[in-house]
Amino acid sequence: MTETIHTLVIGGGQAGVATSAHLQSQGVPHLVLERDRIAERWRTWRWDSLVANGPAWHDRFPEAEFTDLDPEEFAPKEAVADYFVRFASDRNLPIRTGVEVTNLGRQGSTFRAVTSQGTVEARNVVVATGPFQKPVIPTVITLSGITQLHSSAYRNPAALPEGAVLVVGAGSSGAQIAEELVRAGRQVYLSVGPHDRPPRRYRGQDFVWWLGKLGKWDMKAPTPGTEHVTIAVSGAYGGHTMDFRRLAGLGVTLLGRAGSCRDGVLHLADDLAANIAKGDANYLSVLDEADAYATAQGLELPDEPEARVLHPLPDCVTTPTLALDLKRAGIATVIWATGFQLDFGWIDLDIFRPDGRPRHQDGVTAVPGLYFVGLPWLSCRGSAFIWGAWRDAERLAGLIARGAG
């Protein structure tokens, strides 16, 4: 059976829901196909205690607030998923769940999507499958008796085997998981690579507020050389600045970047102190820019000189471990918090770079009628966030409504 629709949206997460809302407001006939449930990644690809990294007043669509949450709270993952489900239901958005698109091609001026429930033909297609597609595990550890899993499969400390845990990757996921594990009484090792670590709050304002005022969310591209620098921030436990000194004080052993593993020994780069120093420099630079902005704008905000106090480096940083015998350290689990790759192998169109990223300009591809939304740095730094996907979707829906696709 073949179904025909003006515009097909593939993916029912935050980007797909946002796109549907804007297409609806523009009067564009469309259909959203989601292979699982709406916002499924929030439910089943996150650990149990995860909360949003931004406060509820910020991490949402402009048209709808979270219910039963204080604006300064950090929404639990289930509340985030429920938010999108409720948003879609309240607006009667045409989202069809449990339908997987297995191939997308083009015949003449018509797109043809092969799905698990038949074929859909459309004049326009918006790919809204998001950035969390294929978990990345960069190092091979072939050692019996050690459980290995990606952070997307981690649930809680009790679900892991007894023993120490090595967490590889110290972005938001890795740092938060390491903290949860050490608070649960586990011996934890954390491999720390290059990272930014903005203050959770400064002078009475959350860092997301500061990044907005400083124009950071609207940056068009990452600073050259920082494309692979992750960000370490946390809304857990009420929200706090992610300072790796504090994690070490809780009992986490910090390590440099993970390299090869030979004969049960994981070799580590001698870059831990440098990575911590660069993270500190990023932290202090945000304070400097915030202070300069407050002065220039005449803002009456409370001073916070204590925010600039950096405590001494722990021994694990000043005398770093460069080779870790996993069995001798008692490590029973390795959690790879090493991010994701895009996976568009189901799209049969010549629009991809060698690294698998689609070629586009602010989400608009060279193929007439084909768009992407929800990807990191799609049009700016904020594109992969809830409100950023909303803004990009509004612009793309406008193009579609005007017949640009």
Side-chain angles (χ1 to χ4, degrees), residues 183-223:
R183 284 172 176 256
R186 293 298 186 101
Q187 175 62 49
V188 179
Y189 296 82
L190 177 62
S191 173
V192 180
H195 61 273
D196 288 345
R197 61 172 199 93
R200 175 72 267 174
R201 298 180 184 88
Y202 182 55
R203 300 184 67 175
Q205 300 293 338
D206 195 273
F207 93 95
V208 298
W209 185 89
W210 282 115
L211 293 194
K213 295 299 183 183
L214 298 174
K216 302 292 188 181
W217 291 126
D218 292 325
M219 290 174 58
K220 298 297 290 182
T223 303

Side-chain angles (χ1 to χ4, degrees), residues 14-369:
Q14 61 196 38
V17 172
T19 301
S20 181
H22 287 300
L23 289 172
Q24 183 186 71
S25 69
Q26 294 277 0
V28 177
H30 68 283
L31 172 66
V32 182
L33 297 182
E34 163 56 45
R35 64 183 175 183
D36 294 306
R37 296 174 292 177
I38 292 174
E40 182 70 17
R41 290 291 192 267
W42 278 98
R43 296 191 192 277
T44 56
W45 279 42
R46 306 289 192 272
W47 61 97
D48 295 345
S49 66
L50 176 76
V51 297
N53 284 330
W57 65 261
H58 180 267
D59 285 12
R60 63 177 178 87
F61 292 152
E63 288 191 356
E65 298 180 354
F66 279 91
T67 58
D68 302 325
L69 279 178
D70 184 278
E72 295 295 336
E73 284 186 79
F74 300 91
K77 70 182 186 75
E78 293 292 339
V80 176
D82 290 343
Y83 170 91
F84 293 121
V85 171
R86 183 172 59 253
F87 185 93
S89 176
D90 288 347
R91 289 155 182 78
N92 197 28
L93 298 180
I95 301 177
R96 190 177 300 169
T97 58
V99 183
E100 181 176 9
V101 176
T102 57
N103 179 266
L104 177 66
R106 185 175 172 88
Q107 295 179 343
S109 61
T110 301
F111 292 98
R112 187 172 188 269
V114 179
T115 83
S116 57
Q117 294 185 10
T119 300
V120 179
E121 293 184 345
R123 176 182 170 186
N124 304 287
V125 171
V126 182
V127 179
T129 51
F132 304 114
Q133 296 179 16
K134 186 177 180 180
V136 172
I137 296 180
T139 299
V140 176
I141 296 179
T142 56
L143 193 63
S144 62
I146 292 183
T147 297
Q148 298 183 64
L149 64 155
H150 190 265
S151 57
S152 59
Y154 168 74
R155 294 296 171 263
N156 56 65
L160 301 181
E162 293 294 326
V165 182
L166 167 64
V167 180
V168 181
S172 295
S173 293
Q176 290 177 38
I177 290 171
E179 180 166 1
E180 176 171 90
L181 288 167
V182 77
R183 284 172 176 256
R186 293 298 186 101
Q187 175 62 49
V188 179
Y189 296 82
L190 177 62
S191 173
V192 180
H195 61 273
D196 288 345
R197 61 172 199 93
R200 175 72 267 174
R201 298 180 184 88
Y202 182 55
R203 300 184 67 175
Q205 300 293 338
D206 195 273
F207 93 95
V208 298
W209 185 89
W210 282 115
L211 293 194
K213 295 299 183 183
L214 298 174
K216 302 292 188 181
W217 291 126
D218 292 325
M219 290 174 58
K220 298 297 290 182
T223 303
T226 66
E227 294 86 350
H228 301 293
V229 174
T230 188
I231 183 170
V233 66
S234 177
Y237 313 106
H240 54 255
T241 298
M242 189 54 71
D243 187 341
F244 292 101
R245 295 172 179 79
R246 183 181 59 81
L247 288 187
L250 292 175
V252 175
T253 300
L254 305 177
L255 307 168
R257 280 183 297 179
S260 62
C261 185
R262 298 187 297 273
D263 300 324
V265 177
L266 180 66
H267 297 271
L268 302 148
D270 189 11
D271 63 354
L272 178 57
N275 293 334
I276 296 295
K278 290 177 182 176
D280 291 345
N282 168 259
Y283 168 81
L284 293 171
S285 73
V286 175
L287 303 190
D288 290 342
E289 291 186 58
D291 286 342
Y293 178 87
T295 299
Q297 299 297 318
L299 301 181
E300 295 184 1
L301 299 175
D303 291 331
E304 196 176 339
E306 63 274 15
R308 294 182 175 275
V309 176
L310 299 178
H311 296 289
L313 293 172
D315 291 343
C316 59
V317 175
T318 57
T319 309
T321 298
L322 301 180
L324 182 67
D325 187 311
L326 300 179
K327 284 196 171 181
R328 185 172 298 174
I331 291 173
T333 304
V334 177
I335 299 175
W336 298 95
T338 42
F340 298 82
Q341 290 177 337
L342 299 177
D343 184 6
F344 292 118
W346 50 275
I347 299 180
D348 192 17
L349 296 165
D350 185 20
I351 58 166
F352 297 101
R353 305 176 190 273
D355 63 1
R357 292 183 299 166
R359 293 190 297 271
H360 67 87
Q361 181 63 48
D362 295 340
V364 181
T365 75
V367 177

